[in-house]
Amino acid sequence: MPDYHDDLRLAHVLADSADATTMERFKALDLKVETKPDMTPVSEADKAAEELIRASLQRARPRDAVLGEEFGSEGTGPRRWVVDPIDGTKNYVRGVPVWATLIALMERGEGGDRPVVGVVSAPALGRRWWAAEGLGAYTGRSLSSASRLQVSRVGSLRDASFAYSSLSGWEERGKLGGFLDLTRACWRTRGYGDFWSYMMVAEGSVDICAEPELSLWDMAACAVVVQEAGGRFTGLDGVPGPHSGDAAASNGLLHDELLEHLR
């Protein structure tokens, strides 16, 4: 099995730099915010963080490709870094601390590209999560000060906590009925949203989560953290990994029931 220790250390360095950039502008009264063609916001901090990460990767991994939310795809090859400079930009621009920089390394294999390294850094929450294929998933302040993540062992929906992001996306895709049935079947539901739902699945504090519309940069880092914590990460179609355009994550025990409701 390949050794991803060096790539994981690099991802932490990239996250450290991004954290400094995003925190410097968080809650700034003169923060510049634009509207992208898809009608979603982008701030100057999104762009600055991604530019910083790209420049660092160009120096440290010049042969690797890069895909980022703000500046698209660059380069080719079997290794590709996938970056969301601020997952939760709407929270960021409103001063809500639930946002994170997502950094993943994907590697091409027989089954296609798969995420092998992931770092999820939420500096306004004072939290960071990370994982690498075969090395497990962790949370803590640094590589040397961390605790290992493990998904829950809840085996029944009636005992499960379900995290989601919003209702509108499910309604737009004609899946609101199944979504509501799932919420009624669970013990508890909360709209944590974005990266945080997946990290809580990895921690075992939430048992299932799902979102109806996502991009690769929203999912790649989260997928490897959930999987290395012992959970499952698929599309709503049940295909493993972050390529389906939507996502379902669980402790594994509840995954089939989760998909059955949301299909």
Side-chain angles (χ1 to χ4, degrees):
M1 180 176 291
D3 185 341
Y4 296 108
H5 282 94
D6 286 346
D7 295 309
L8 183 58
R9 281 192 286 268
L10 173 59
H12 275 274
V13 172
L14 298 175
D16 289 341
S17 299
D19 286 354
T21 297
T22 53
M23 285 301 292
E24 182 180 6
R25 300 300 292 156
F26 184 48
K27 295 187 178 181
L29 297 179
D30 60 344
L31 180 72
K32 296 182 178 64
V33 182
E34 302 171 8
T35 301
K36 294 191 286 189
D38 64 0
M39 302 308 293
T40 60
V42 58
S43 75
E44 62 181 275
D46 291 79
K47 294 180 178 180
E50 184 170 323
E51 287 175 335
L52 184 66
I53 291 170
R54 284 175 177 269
S56 297
L57 285 171
Q58 181 59 39
R59 292 190 296 271
R61 296 289 190 275
R63 296 183 180 180
D64 293 352
V66 181
L67 171 66
E69 179 176 11
E70 307 308 335
F71 298 107
S73 184
E74 181 179 3
T76 59
R79 288 165 47 99
R80 178 171 58 160
W81 294 86
V82 179
V83 178
D84 188 343
I86 299 180
D87 181 52
T89 298
K90 291 178 182 177
N91 283 346
Y92 184 88
V93 301
R94 289 298 301 271
V96 178
V98 183
W99 50 271
T101 294
L102 313 183
I103 300 169
L105 172 63
M106 301 191 70
E107 193 165 77
R108 190 169 305 152
E110 293 182 3
D113 290 355
R114 70 189 191 284
V116 295
V117 171
V119 171
V120 176
S121 189
L125 294 176
R127 298 293 310 275
R128 184 177 290 186
W129 304 261
W130 63 89
E133 187 177 82
L135 300 178
Y138 296 85
T139 185
R141 295 189 176 276
S142 67
L143 282 166
S144 60
S145 177
S147 56
R148 189 154 188 169
L149 299 174
Q150 180 65 49
V151 296
S152 76
R153 299 299 299 169
V154 173
S156 171
L157 281 180
R158 66 176 178 268
D159 300 320
S161 181
F162 171 40
Y164 62 95
S165 54
S166 70
L167 295 177
S168 59
W170 299 103
E171 185 173 26
E172 290 165 4
R173 282 152 193 80
K175 295 179 179 291
L176 184 59
F179 173 85
L180 293 176
D181 286 343
L182 176 59
T183 65
R184 296 182 187 109
C186 292
W187 166 65
R188 191 170 190 257
T189 62
R190 285 293 183 273
Y192 299 108
D194 301 319
F195 71 94
W196 206 8
S197 296
Y198 303 99
M199 297 304 97
M200 285 191 283
V201 169
E203 290 179 341
S205 52
V206 163
D207 310 300
I208 57 175
C209 70
E211 289 187 271
E213 183 180 22
L214 293 166
S215 297
L216 181 60
W217 48 75
D218 298 311
M219 297 183 280
C222 295
V224 66
V225 174
V226 169
Q227 291 166 349
E228 285 295 316
R232 284 181 66 186
F233 190 105
T234 73
L236 298 179
D237 54 11
V239 176
H243 297 287
S244 297
D246 46 41
S250 77
N251 62 5
L253 300 174
L254 299 170
H255 207 82
D256 291 340
E257 288 184 90
L258 170 61
L259 294 179
E260 185 177 349
H261 277 87
L262 296 179
R263 278 172 176 161

